[in-house]
Amino acid sequence: MKTSTLFAVCGIVCGLTAVSLGFAGKPWQAGLFGLAAGVWNIATLIMERRGGDDD
């Protein structure tokens, strides 16, 4: 599995966790997971732009 694919999966998982925590009424935990999702997505974009084969 490529590293960028793994980063994208982590970003999606963090985003879904943030949404579920938000609906559960835990705003600061949701904010932290939302921030983590953003960081994973930025890392994914950087990995894709590098163009390296990261197997």
Side-chain angles (χ1 to χ4, degrees):
M1 180 183 290
K2 288 178 62 174
T3 306
S4 58
T5 305
L6 182 63
F7 283 8
V9 169
C10 290
I12 291 168
V13 169
C14 284
L16 292 174
T17 304
V19 168
S20 63
L21 284 170
F23 283 131
K26 299 182 180 195
W28 69 270
Q29 292 96 333
L32 289 177
F33 273 96
L35 182 64
V39 169
W40 281 115
N41 288 325
I42 290 170
T44 302
L45 289 173
I46 290 170
M47 290 296 293
E48 282 295 318
R49 287 187 182 219
R50 257 186 25 181
D53 198 19
D54 297 319
D55 287 332

